[in-house]
Amino acid sequence: MRRLMMLLLAIAFVTASAQEVICHRGYWDADGSAQNSIRSLVKADSIGAWGSEFDVWMTADGVLVVNHDATFEGVTIETAKWKQLKDKRLKNGEPLPTLEQMLECGKGLKTRLIVEMKPHTSREQELEAARKIVKMVKKMGLEDRVEYITFSLQGMKNLKELAPDGTPVYYLNGELSPLQLAEFGMAGIDYSIKVMREHPQWIDEAHSLGMKVNVWTVNSDRDMEWCINYGVDYITTNAPEKLQHKLLP
Ligand code: MG
């Protein structure tokens, strides 16, 4: 009985202590890198980051483009045609990447691919984006390496329905409790550090429901230490190497 207790405690410790680093928009604060670039994904992988996050929009003619903002150099992605964007370049000189190029690169890496689907103005277009993203991930054979995140509540439900069972889908917007999200079958919460400092009880609530907690964008020493001490599972950051150092045993 005592041995069993010790074993259970050891398992609980290992489970509780597994805290992982996710690079926010890839590891972009590095030589030759840029936000949401292919290079930023390669850099994230090269430092052994658990995951690398990037943002996805769909053009009016159905091309999935990796970019944070709704616009790129004045062109609104969701209403543009791909030909208006295809020759544009990122700050590091790389061409503006498509999701296909990003996933193609990801195939050769180990880091998990954290795909953020941006909320589109048109619900139909957003549903189409979700369909195309899930289809492309399948085609690339990356279903076991991808997790989805989104600020769109409908988008979250769409991704949950379209992706294979067990694919983690997280909600970013911050207004729903873990219990409310559990009803939709979500993997957990992925909320800002500001929201989490206002609702620290959501960490235990999520864990007691078997859900995970991801917090963004955690850059300062103070915020990193708060997340580590509160047992946050995934910490999304612009300073991945600093965070890795703090997580060293
Ligand atoms: Mg993002």
Side-chain angles (χ1 to χ4, degrees), residues 199-245:
H199 304 277
Q201 76 282 6
W202 281 354
I203 298 170
D204 282 347
E205 184 182 322
H207 288 159
S208 71
L209 291 162
M211 298 165 91
K212 298 287 189 184
V213 177
N214 188 335
V215 180
W216 51 272
T217 306
V218 180
N219 299 326
S220 70
D221 291 284
R222 199 172 145 261
D223 287 344
M224 284 181 180
E225 280 148 26
W226 189 92
C227 288
I228 292 168
N229 293 336
Y230 270 85
V232 168
D233 304 289
Y234 306 109
I235 305 171
T236 299
T237 182
N238 290 332
E241 290 190 274
K242 179 168 82 168
L243 178 57
Q244 283 178 326
H245 192 74

Side-chain angles (χ1 to χ4, degrees), residues 139-173:
K139 189 181 93 180
M140 296 274 187
L142 286 167
E143 287 174 318
D144 295 339
R145 296 254 322 277
V146 164
E147 311 205 346
Y148 296 108
I149 61 176
T150 186
F151 280 95
S152 163
L153 188 57
Q154 186 58 47
M156 172 192 90
K157 293 176 191 170
N158 294 342
L159 286 164
K160 177 71 192 160
E161 185 158 329
L162 292 163
D165 280 351
T167 306
V169 182
Y170 291 89
Y171 186 52
L172 296 165
N173 212 38

Side-chain angles (χ1 to χ4, degrees), residues 68-116:
H68 178 266
D69 293 351
T71 61
F72 190 84
E73 291 181 358
V75 178
T76 302
I77 298 171
E78 57 183 319
T79 53
K81 294 217 165 128
W82 173 237
K83 68 176 181 195
Q84 294 169 258
L85 293 159
K86 70 178 180 52
D87 296 325
K88 297 200 178 289
R89 293 193 172 261
L90 304 182
K91 285 195 174 122
N92 67 345
E94 271 181 39
L96 178 66
T98 61
L99 177 66
E100 189 168 16
Q101 290 162 341
M102 208 71 166
L103 295 180
E104 193 64 57
C105 169
K107 275 205 275 189
L109 307 174
K110 279 193 177 152
T111 193
R112 286 183 74 81
L113 307 164
I114 316 301
V115 179
E116 178 177 349

